[in-house]
Amino acid sequence: MILLKKLAVAIIPLASLVTFQAVAGEEGFTSLQSFNYPSHYIRHASYRAQISEIHSELDKSDATFKIVDGLADKNCISFQSLNYPGYYLRHRSYEIWLDPHVADDLYEKDATFCERSGLADPSATTFESLNYPGHFIRHRNYKLFINTGSGDLFKADATFWKTSPLAK
């Protein structure tokens, strides 16, 4: 008589097992603080880009990005995730998502943003979509989008402070 035992296997994403560290001052790593919600930072959660308060080490890693030359235009930038290397913030259907890099012209344009003086404060930064000129990263109901707009609320929602990386 042969007895067969069931083997249970748990598949855990590698990123959840590894602690990533950005060395303070290491070139290219930053976190992005909301201009009008100063206790909130841009971060990804379940691959959706949003702003939220930061409490845990995971939150800090999710809110730390490496600024690299723009994937579609070296005069602009792209945001690579610290804890998901090879994943970039990009827009699709006007929503900002964290997606794995694909060597595709559309993906690379969607993941490229040009830095501008902050719309609400010129000493801060606003990020304009490369392939949708006049569309800026902004938060609305805590989620990130690219939108056009005017008015004080829009300008504040589309303005961010670049800070030292939260993941240390």
Side-chain angles (χ1 to χ4, degrees):
M1 174 187 249
I2 298 175
L3 294 174
L4 297 176
K5 294 183 179 179
K6 290 184 180 180
L7 177 64
V9 176
I11 299 174
I12 301 171
L14 179 61
S16 66
L17 297 176
V18 179
T19 301
F20 293 89
Q21 294 184 337
V23 178
E26 184 175 339
E27 188 169 334
F29 285 99
T30 192
S31 292
L32 300 163
Q33 182 182 31
S34 171
F35 176 79
N36 57 342
Y37 286 80
S39 65
H40 290 64
Y41 289 80
I42 291 179
R43 57 93 49 101
H44 60 85
S46 299
Y47 302 101
R48 184 68 165 93
Q50 58 188 280
I51 62 167
S52 73
E53 292 184 334
I54 304 301
H55 301 289
S56 70
E57 291 304 312
L58 177 61
D59 293 349
K60 290 176 184 178
S61 293
D62 287 350
T64 301
F65 298 91
K66 183 167 188 173
I67 303 295
V68 300
D69 287 341
L71 297 175
D73 183 336
K74 302 301 180 207
N75 295 310
C76 299
I77 62 169
S78 293
F79 301 97
Q80 183 176 197
S81 170
L82 170 71
N83 55 348
Y84 287 87
Y87 282 63
Y88 294 85
L89 293 182
R90 57 105 38 131
H91 66 83
R92 50 184 162 95
S93 301
Y94 301 97
E95 299 175 344
I96 306 290
W97 290 85
L98 184 72
D99 285 338
H101 181 252
V102 175
D104 172 80
D105 186 57
L106 178 61
Y107 175 97
E108 291 180 347
K109 288 179 180 175
D110 288 350
T112 301
F113 300 92
C114 300
E115 293 181 276
R116 305 289 184 235
S117 293
L119 295 175
D121 182 331
S123 64
T125 308
T126 292
F127 302 99
E128 183 176 17
S129 169
L130 175 70
N131 58 342
Y132 281 76
H135 288 71
F136 301 94
I137 294 178
R138 64 89 57 108
H139 63 83
R140 187 177 69 232
N141 296 324
Y142 303 101
K143 302 292 185 193
L144 291 185
F145 300 86
I146 58 164
N147 289 132
T148 60
S150 59
D152 292 341
L153 179 60
F154 176 82
K155 291 175 182 178
D157 287 350
T159 301
F160 300 90
W161 297 106
K162 293 196 305 189
T163 69
S164 296
L166 292 174
K168 305 280 185 205

